[in-house]
Amino acid sequence: MKRPTRLTQQTSKWLAVTMLAGACVLAFAPGCAATGDEDTESSDLAMEQALAELGLSPQEPNTSDYDPEPLVSEDSMEVDSEAAPAATDAQKKAVKWMKNHVGSTEYEHKCETAVEVAYGTRYVYADAKEHWQSVEIHKNKNAPYGAFVFWNISQWGHVGISDGDGGFYSSGINGKIGHKNSLDFFNKYVGWAKGKKPKK
């Protein structure tokens, strides 16, 4: 017959103690009501005697040999405390401008001009590369709504405006302003910068 493990023996003992404790409570506290200090002391004494007979102390059992993984990992419990801020009027207008100009060829090879005009200005930066070198760049792909998104695909770079869902609007999409659902449409993604009216 297979010998019980240490954990099984401890568990069995504690089950026995739990049952004994329940019996003691019922014996000294009928009706689930308190019966006074004397009964409580008697119950405590009976519990200590029962534990002594089982070779246990009135402490939690040692279960160091059994350390199961939590049901939910700590990583999955983490919550992103930095919720995306509400879009500004300028960001809404810029995205709307880009949407309204989808199909336009007017800004082909003028990606920086297109995004600046979308934000109500022009000729602040000579090209997309100068733009990203002049602002704070976030290198992840979680570009918020209205953010400038940059790629290093030429000596001048390339820039578009994020749709906030992982996609973007820019010129240079099949020879015109267009929309793509992924920032991976162009190679050599640089990162994103906060969407606001460009200024030096």
Side-chain angles (χ1 to χ4, degrees), residues 14 17 20 46-59:
W14 275 99
V17 170
L20 181 60
M47 177 64 74
E48 288 178 11
Q49 289 174 347
L51 289 171
E53 289 176 8
L54 292 170
L56 299 172
S57 63
Q59 298 177 349

Side-chain angles (χ1 to χ4, degrees), residues 28 35-45:
F28 290 101
T35 59
D37 292 338
E38 293 182 3
D39 289 340
T40 302
E41 290 176 6
S42 299
S43 177
D44 290 343
L45 182 59

Side-chain angles (χ1 to χ4, degrees), residues 12-162:
S12 299
K13 289 180 180 180
W14 275 99
L15 284 173
V17 170
T18 303
M19 294 172 63
L20 181 60
C24 290
V25 170
L26 290 175
F28 290 101
C32 298
T35 59
D37 292 338
E38 293 182 3
D39 289 340
T40 302
E41 290 176 6
S42 299
S43 177
D44 290 343
L45 182 59
M47 177 64 74
E48 288 178 11
Q49 289 174 347
L51 289 171
E53 289 176 8
L54 292 170
L56 299 172
S57 63
Q59 298 177 349
E60 290 296 318
N62 179 12
T63 59
S64 59
D65 293 339
Y66 179 65
D67 188 16
E69 292 293 324
L71 294 178
V72 180
S73 69
E74 293 180 4
D75 290 341
S76 66
M77 295 173 67
E78 291 182 1
V79 177
D80 185 2
S81 59
E82 295 184 11
T88 65
D89 287 341
Q91 291 166 349
K92 291 176 183 177
K93 288 178 180 177
V95 172
K96 184 178 180 180
W97 187 94
M98 295 298 283
K99 283 183 179 180
N100 290 341
H101 287 78
V102 167
S104 172
T105 59
E106 181 180 353
Y107 296 92
E108 190 60 10
H109 305 297
K110 300 175 185 176
C111 60
E112 178 63 31
T113 301
V115 300
E116 287 190 19
V117 170
Y119 268 97
T121 187
R122 63 174 63 218
Y123 309 133
V124 175
Y125 299 108
D127 52 40
K129 183 172 281 189
E130 184 186 359
H131 189 165
W132 86 58
Q133 291 175 340
S134 304
V135 295
E136 181 182 1
I137 292 292
H138 305 269
K139 295 188 177 181
N140 61 65
K141 292 183 179 179
N142 302 322
Y145 184 87
F148 297 108
V149 284
F150 300 95
W151 296 265
N152 189 15
I153 58 175
S154 73
Q155 64 181 3
W156 304 283
H158 190 71
V159 61
I161 294 180
S162 170

